[in-house]
Amino acid sequence: MTETEMSGTEMSGTGMPETGIPASDVTGITMPGTELLATLLPPDVVAVEAFTDDPDAVLFPEEEATLARSVDKRRREFTTARVCAHRALAGLGVPPAPVLRGPRGEPQWPSGVIGSITHCAGYRAAVVARSTDIVTVGIDAEPNEVLPEGVLDQIALPEEHDWLGPLMHGDPAVHWDRLLFSIKESVYKAWFPLARRWLGFEDAAITVDPLGGTFSARLLVDGPVLPGGVPPGRGQRNHDLSALPEARVPERLTGFTGRWLARNGLVITAITVPGR
């Protein structure tokens, strides 16, 4: 898949061209309980989104230092996304702190916080939660436009082509190929903080509920063991630990479920895994 600020997001190694709605087509900034993301996320997650860039926005010096060789476009999207992250942290009751990039481009959050960042033309957003409440989160926003030629064949499995075909000849309000791409970006963002390793587009099979606004992702590779595990006996064959009241049986990640929407010229996808 990609890294974790990906293409229209942070962590993207797809090399896709930036396309989408001009920033001038939408205006305003929304704070925690945001207009778009609030419909996709549980209450434990704080979200901040922006539709324009503030030319007077100020970064932490450590963040500013990472932009020394960046072009203006990259500087603007990075800055606004980081301002969203700072405000989201404040909404969570955590003092704002620099949000730097890890080795794979992943945002590095303060201790005890998990989060995700996305940006595309005309939209930036960040979400955060306490790691005691949410195990992992992944968000992605993309322009609601057809993918560039050849990209779908690079990202879609045969079984995904099967359900995509009828949808792409149906509702023209949603570019389903772009939605698939966005889902796979969110999958990677939710996966990486847990697994700390690459996940390819071909390593997760996606199914979409076109009416219910939900999706599921079935991992085709071994997933990491989820932090905290599950109570002894819940769907586990080995109950050897059940003699210890506080013991929890390890649970391996096998997939994700999430929600999506198409609105304001965007497709937005979100995955959250609640704490056990």
Side-chain angles (χ1 to χ4, degrees), residues 1-3 13 104 188 191-192 196-201 203:
M1 225 156 268
T2 57
E3 300 180 67
R104 294 273 186 167
Y188 182 82
W191 156 276
F192 186 81
R196 309 304 298 182
R197 66 180 189 268
W198 183 264
L199 187 75
F201 285 116
D203 293 330

Side-chain angles (χ1 to χ4, degrees), residues 136 187 190-191 194 215-219 253-258 271 273:
T136 190
V187 166
W191 156 276
L194 299 176
F215 62 84
S216 63
R218 175 171 51 90
L219 292 174
L253 181 70
T254 59
F256 298 100
T257 59
I271 292 170
V273 176

Side-chain angles (χ1 to χ4, degrees), residues 131-153:
S131 57
T132 52
D133 297 325
I134 302 293
V135 173
T136 190
V137 61
I139 62 168
D140 184 71
E142 301 287 334
N144 189 8
E145 299 176 352
V146 65
L147 284 173
E149 184 176 356
V151 173
L152 181 60
D153 289 337

Side-chain angles (χ1 to χ4, degrees), residues 41-90:
L41 298 165
D44 290 332
V45 180
V46 176
V48 175
E49 61 188 359
F51 297 95
T52 58
D53 296 316
D54 181 357
D56 299 319
V58 177
L59 296 173
F60 284 91
E62 300 93 324
E63 295 168 329
E64 184 68 36
T66 69
L67 297 174
R69 299 182 179 180
S70 297
V71 298
D72 181 64
K73 176 179 179 295
R74 170 60 179 158
R75 177 178 292 275
R76 286 186 286 106
E77 66 189 14
F78 180 94
T79 298
T80 304
R82 283 312 188 273
V83 169
C84 288
H86 301 160
R87 293 177 177 177
L89 289 171

Side-chain angles (χ1 to χ4, degrees), residues 110-132:
S111 177
V113 174
I114 57 96
S116 186
I117 293 174
T118 187
H119 49 73
C120 67
Y123 186 80
R124 330 303 193 189
V127 299
V128 296
R130 296 189 181 276
S131 57
T132 52

Side-chain angles (χ1 to χ4, degrees), residues 253-267:
L253 181 70
T254 59
F256 298 100
T257 59
R259 304 183 68 189
W260 66 271
L261 62 77
R263 194 179 303 164
N264 291 15
L266 303 166
V267 290

